Structures are given as structure tokens and as C-alpha cells.
Amino acid sequence: MAGELASLVNRGKLSGARALALRVAPDQRRHQRVAVALLGRYMLADRQEYPCQTVDMSPGGVRLTCAVGGAVGERIVIYLDHVGRIEGTIARLLPDGVAVAIGATTRKRDKIASQLTWLANRAALGLPEDRRHERVVPRQTLAILRLDGGREVEARIIDVSLSGAALACEAELPLESALTVGGTPARVVRRFKGGLAVEFRLPLSPDRFDETLVL
């Protein structure tokens, strides 16, 4: 594994990032974990963002598969599909990722437990496979798109999901254009007649995903 990571660095795939140290500490768990694969991103103390996927999770901790690690005890902020934003510290460094101790209030831990229960039982309950496709129409539909260079464009929100939004907009913006929808960083992923679709840089938190949402 160490040779594989070194090869990735040499090919520039982990340029500017810190490759994982292959140091493993004893596994100490206080909560029962649920095997669940959620996509997300995380940010280390250097404020760089990296992609990740969960292996298992409990209200007190989460194990991530990722290519870039930090130091034991380092603060980490994670954004996960369905769960939203969580904070914690790196508890262990693993050959293919990190184990994180989640720092949260009792209320937040209860919410995580409910979300994990939903994820573990969604098939039995007949719920949709992926809630990222659920959409809402916010009460406040007017949005200002701020582009690189300071240009501002007015748009109307058609609908919003946790991962992106459809916007009615007269301006024809190039695909992959970086922009901010209100205060939410995003990029243009699709264009259609009279509008465009954007993908958020980070998924929205389910905590605020309803008609009162303001981007």
C-alpha cells in the first residue's frame, strides 16, 4: 500500500496533499456502528478539501476511505450525503483512510442515530434509494449568481436538492463555470432552454432542507 500511495504522488494525483501515514492505533469504540457507504468531502486543518466515502458510522465516530490523511488529534470537518456537516478529530490513521471521533452535542448525536436508522432500514421501509434526488421549491426563489470576476446575474430558483439546484436564468453560462448561488458555492453542470443546473460544491445539510431554505 505504501508503494501504491508513493506511485500516486509521483503521478501528481495527490499533488500538494499529505499522503496517508500507515500508522494504526488500537480500535476503541463506544457506539455500535452501521455499515453505510455515503459520499462526501472533508476538510483538514490546512483548509484543503478532499473527497471521501464512509465505511461505517455511529453517533460517536465514522470510518472514512480517503487518499489524504492528517495527524492523530487533528480537527476535521466532514460533509456527508444525508447526514450533512459533522466535526471531530482524527482518532486513528488506517491503511486506506482514517477513523474519526465525532464531537457533537447530545441532540446532534440523536439526530445522527435517527439518520443511521433510516439509512439502515430504507430498503425494508420502501423508501427511495437516494434522498439526494428529493427536491423542494423554496419560498424565496430569487437568487443572485456571483461569477468569477465579480459579475452578478439574477436568476430564479426552480427547485433545490441536497446536491444542486435548477435555475431559470437568461444568461448562458459555460459548463463547469464556478459561481456562488446566493451564499452557496457551486458549478454549472447542465444547461437547458431558459436556464441551467448547478451542483453545489458541498452538499446542503439535511437540517435546513425544506421550503424555508435560503441559499
Side-chain angles (χ1 to χ4, degrees), residues 3-215:
E4 184 178 326
L5 286 173
S7 177
L8 287 173
V9 173
N10 292 336
R11 292 202 299 269
K13 290 188 178 180
L14 299 180
S15 176
R18 291 166 291 167
L20 282 168
L22 304 183
R23 180 156 52 105
V24 180
D27 186 359
Q28 297 179 349
R29 297 181 179 176
R30 299 178 182 178
H31 303 86
Q32 183 175 356
R33 297 206 173 198
V34 175
V36 60
L38 303 175
L39 295 177
R41 296 171 182 268
Y42 64 100
M43 183 173 66
L44 299 172
D46 60 9
R47 304 193 69 81
Q48 295 295 312
E49 294 176 0
Y50 309 100
C52 63
Q53 181 170 328
T54 62
V55 178
D56 53 42
M57 186 173 181
S58 77
V62 58
R63 181 155 59 107
L64 302 176
T65 297
C66 56
V68 180
V72 171
E74 182 175 357
R75 180 174 179 268
I76 183 172
V77 179
I78 310 167
Y79 296 85
L80 296 174
D81 288 348
H82 307 294
V83 176
R85 185 180 190 272
I86 56 176
E87 298 183 27
T89 55
I90 296 176
R92 293 178 295 121
L93 301 179
L94 306 171
D96 59 350
V98 295
V100 175
I102 296 174
T105 63
T106 300
R107 180 173 179 273
K108 178 65 174 179
R109 289 180 190 272
D110 289 343
K111 185 173 181 61
I112 292 173
S114 295
Q115 290 164 326
L116 291 175
T117 299
W118 183 89
L119 290 165
N121 293 284
R122 61 186 175 186
L125 295 173
L127 297 174
E129 179 65 18
D130 192 343
R131 288 202 298 183
R132 286 179 299 170
H133 299 297
E134 289 185 4
R135 293 182 173 266
V136 299
V137 179
R139 295 172 186 169
Q140 182 175 317
T141 59
L142 180 63
I144 300 298
L145 311 183
R146 295 177 175 84
L147 313 178
D148 288 346
R151 180 187 173 195
E152 294 188 352
V153 175
E154 188 173 292
R156 181 177 59 82
I157 300 173
I158 299 173
D159 55 36
V160 181
S161 72
L162 291 178
S163 58
L167 307 168
C169 177
E170 294 182 1
E172 294 186 4
L173 305 180
L175 292 176
E176 300 299 324
S177 294
L179 73 164
T180 301
V181 184
T184 307
R187 65 185 180 94
V188 178
V189 294
R190 185 167 55 89
R191 294 185 299 185
F192 53 86
K193 185 176 180 180
L196 52 89
V198 300
E199 180 182 78
F200 300 136
R201 187 177 178 188
L202 293 171
L204 300 179
S205 170
D207 294 345
R208 61 188 188 99
F209 187 65
D210 56 32
E211 294 179 353
T212 65
L213 171 71
V214 177
L215 296 178

